Amino acid sequence: MKPIKLILILIFCSKCIVTTAQGAISENTFVLQNIGSRDKQPLDGLWQVIVDPLENGYYNHRWQPRENGFFTNKKMKKPSDLIEYNFDTDYQLMVPGDWNTQMEKLYYYEGSVWYKRTFDYTEKSGQKTYLYFEAVNYEAHVYLNGEKLGQHIGGYTPFQFDLTGKLKERDNHLVVKVDNKRKREAIPTINTDWWNYGGITRSVHLVNVPDNHILDYGITYRKDKKDNIQGWVTLSNKNQTGNVAIEIPELKKKVTAVASNGIATFKLKAKPTLWSPKNPKLYSVKISTESDEISDDIGFRTIETKGSKIVLNGEPIFLKGISIHEEAPYKTGRVTSEEECKILLNWAKELGCNYIRLAHYPHNETMVRLAEKMGLLIWSEIPVYWTVLFDNPETYKNAETQLTEMISRDKNRAAIVLWGVANETPEGDSRLSFLSKLAQRVRELDDTRLVTAALDTQNGSKNVKLIEDKLGAHVDVIGINSYCGWYGGKPESCANWRWENHFDKPMIMSEVGGGALQGLYGDENERWTEEYQDAVYRNNIEMMRHIDFLAGTSPWILMDFRSHRRHLRRIQADFNRKGLISEQGIKKKAFFTLRDFYLNENN
């Protein structure tokens, strides 16, 4: 791929795919990169909400969109007025947060909830103001002072709107219609194995930037190039010209690029210390123009495959990992704070991990950045999960949009080495076409990382499992989900399993494990006991020791998490119990068995 082609594709990747009030894709709307380094005003805290299962606030009794729906925040002006809603006297919910764990009556609720927040704001001359949502699950319709700004579909990626010139000094009312109903044609589809937490689940910000500002940038390291640090900067004004300075003070490197049509590209030669789990080195990179400046902590590394090996910075590495859901420890519900991210990541480090699989959707940016600082390699994926409508063009468009938004947000994070395009999807022609196109899209957007998918389609005889799924030809690393001893066979049978790979590619055992209720003890043949789960791990570890093309493992899962599928009341109680740690933070026996395995691995 020619460098300029990659640059143009990455610039396209920075676009936030939102729909305007008129219903068309907005080609001029981008998502700001690295809002943590920007001047911003949080809109977190208590919001007023109205629960609207019949969508009365959006449709009239003829099922036609209202012109005076809840988004107008209409108030009574005289005693005879008939207004059948009032945000200010209704319920309240915290943002960020999910409604399922904040209100008992909304525990199982799936549908529409209207959120309203009132705020004051003084616009500054020469500045733009963006309304930035880190994530809303799942479909968001956004209104400011009764005017529709647009909508966004997808529960785990950021989106924004330009509010410049639209704000009042006092009493702006921001209204968001949030709908988390599952749909057969959606991504994820109607059937999953994690809780469908509804709400404004991540933070909301007003972000202030100069009129002419740095919008986005991508910086990569290429060891095979003379000028091994390369990148591009996109400016907000596509007609903007002038100098763009890129500086890495610690390396004593500075280069000035000239912007043309709002785009500046650069190259420089340097000898950085490469980022790795043992030394997660990050450099402060400063980007500045005549009117704006921004800084980011960026690591430099290479990732590739050689035969059945994953190679980091030219050296083979075995990925000692664990899968993690974005589920808060101790209180459960969506992770909403940096402290909760640290708890989960510190548990992974205590386990001996150098790698984490962030399942089954893009996790919050704080989680990714903290993992990078702590030296954890990352597999990040989109929720193409189980049996989606692979022959539906709109479903594919949705998946590609979520993929694009995930890569756009995290393209500068050295810790991410694997982009995942699917989990446990059934074989078939339409599925192969769908997923191979997603894999190709990843490579168009980012050819500095590896493409993977988690498969559960292995075949073979009783004790020999053969990896021959045709999707294996389209990914760089093959993920395998295998639950020997839990969904099939007894734990002791797993140690004798042998694996063959139709492809000369690395394999990660992306999921393996079994369930246990923490504190339930008994014989290792008794399901749900900690002893049974531990036996599953001991025998599967023995199996994995004999897979010569195994490049890593991320067992399922770090902590117990809520799932609608888990109905065994006195054991599961709406929790998937495959965690190595209970939702209350207590470690099970299998935690220590896996830790011993990892501590005995050399890298």
Side-chain angles (χ1 to χ4, degrees), residues 398-446:
N398 185 341
E400 186 180 278
T401 295
Q402 293 190 45
L403 179 76
T404 301
E405 292 177 355
M406 173 180 70
I407 294 174
S408 177
R409 191 194 72 178
D410 292 334
K411 59 184 171 288
N412 291 309
R413 305 279 66 84
I416 295 182
V417 293
L418 292 156
W419 295 124
V421 297
N423 179 81
E424 293 185 352
T425 51
E427 291 184 271
D429 292 341
S430 59
R431 171 262 204 174
L432 184 61
S433 174
F434 187 108
L435 298 184
S436 62
K437 284 199 298 182
L438 285 180
Q440 179 58 32
R441 182 61 174 155
V442 172
R443 295 187 177 97
E444 291 172 352
L445 296 172
D446 179 9

Side-chain angles (χ1 to χ4, degrees), residues 285-475:
V285 178
K286 299 179 180 180
I287 305 172
S288 59
T289 66
E290 184 179 285
S291 57
D292 192 19
E293 61 181 36
I294 193 169
S295 64
D296 200 351
D297 294 330
I298 292 179
F300 303 105
R301 57 100 190 96
T302 62
I303 191 75
E304 58 191 324
T305 65
K306 291 184 179 179
S308 62
K309 303 294 185 183
I310 294 175
V311 178
L312 176 71
N313 301 330
E315 297 293 331
I317 184 169
F318 185 81
L319 303 188
K320 300 178 288 187
I322 193 70
S323 296
I324 302 177
H325 260 302
E326 194 181 65
E327 183 109 356
Y330 303 112
K331 69 180 180 65
T332 74
R334 274 280 167 256
V335 167
T336 58
S337 70
E338 181 174 332
E339 290 71 22
E340 290 165 347
C341 294
K342 286 181 178 178
I343 291 170
L344 295 172
L345 294 174
N346 280 326
W347 282 340
K349 293 290 286 186
E350 185 181 349
L351 188 60
C353 295
N354 61 14
Y355 145 71
I356 53 175
R357 180 187 178 203
L358 298 181
H360 282 297
Y361 38 77
H363 288 216
N364 66 81
E365 188 172 0
T366 299
M367 186 77 160
V368 173
R369 285 180 175 268
L370 282 175
E372 182 174 58
K373 290 179 181 178
M374 294 170 67
L376 290 163
L377 294 157
I378 297 172
W379 165 330
S380 183
E381 65 191 35
I382 57 172
V384 176
Y385 183 92
W386 289 356
T387 311
V388 306
L389 292 183
F390 293 113
D391 56 356
N392 185 341
E394 289 303 311
T395 301
Y396 176 80
K397 182 179 178 181
N398 185 341
E400 186 180 278
T401 295
Q402 293 190 45
L403 179 76
T404 301
E405 292 177 355
M406 173 180 70
I407 294 174
S408 177
R409 191 194 72 178
D410 292 334
K411 59 184 171 288
N412 291 309
R413 305 279 66 84
I416 295 182
V417 293
L418 292 156
W419 295 124
V421 297
N423 179 81
E424 293 185 352
T425 51
E427 291 184 271
D429 292 341
S430 59
R431 171 262 204 174
L432 184 61
S433 174
F434 187 108
L435 298 184
S436 62
K437 284 199 298 182
L438 285 180
Q440 179 58 32
R441 182 61 174 155
V442 172
R443 295 187 177 97
E444 291 172 352
L445 296 172
D446 179 9
D447 65 354
T448 68
R449 292 176 174 87
L450 306 175
V451 184
T452 190
L455 313 179
D456 65 347
T457 52
Q458 56 272 7
N459 298 308
S461 63
K462 183 177 180 180
N463 291 323
V464 178
K465 298 299 175 182
L466 175 62
I467 302 171
E468 57 179 356
D469 188 324
K470 293 180 181 178
L471 185 59
H474 298 274
V475 298

Side-chain angles (χ1 to χ4, degrees), residues 104-204:
E104 184 177 1
K105 66 171 57 182
L106 298 181
Y107 178 65
Y108 288 112
Y109 180 71
E110 295 181 324
S112 289
V113 173
W114 295 81
Y115 284 70
K116 192 212 76 170
R117 169 71 188 261
T118 302
F119 63 94
D120 301 333
Y121 190 80
T122 301
E123 289 196 276
K124 299 176 183 178
S125 177
Q127 287 202 338
K128 281 186 175 293
T129 303
Y130 291 102
L131 172 65
Y132 186 102
F133 292 86
E134 293 188 21
V136 176
N137 191 38
Y138 170 75
E139 181 174 335
H141 294 245
V142 184
Y143 305 83
L144 177 69
N145 300 326
E147 175 191 350
K148 186 168 186 178
L149 299 175
Q151 68 190 72
H152 181 265
I153 293 175
Y156 307 99
T157 48
F159 58 99
Q160 70 183 36
F161 302 96
D162 188 349
L163 300 190
T164 309
K166 299 179 184 293
L167 292 164
K168 304 182 296 183
E169 288 203 0
R170 297 189 61 80
D171 296 329
N172 294 281
H173 59 90
L174 176 64
V175 176
V176 185
K177 177 181 178 289
V178 182
D179 186 351
N180 76 327
K181 285 193 296 290
R182 291 167 298 119
K183 298 178 181 179
R184 184 70 181 89
E185 69 276 14
I187 299 292
T189 187
I190 201 164
N191 198 11
T192 65
D193 190 16
W194 69 89
W195 205 267
N196 183 26
Y197 290 115
I200 304 177
T201 54
R202 298 179 190 161
S203 291
V204 185

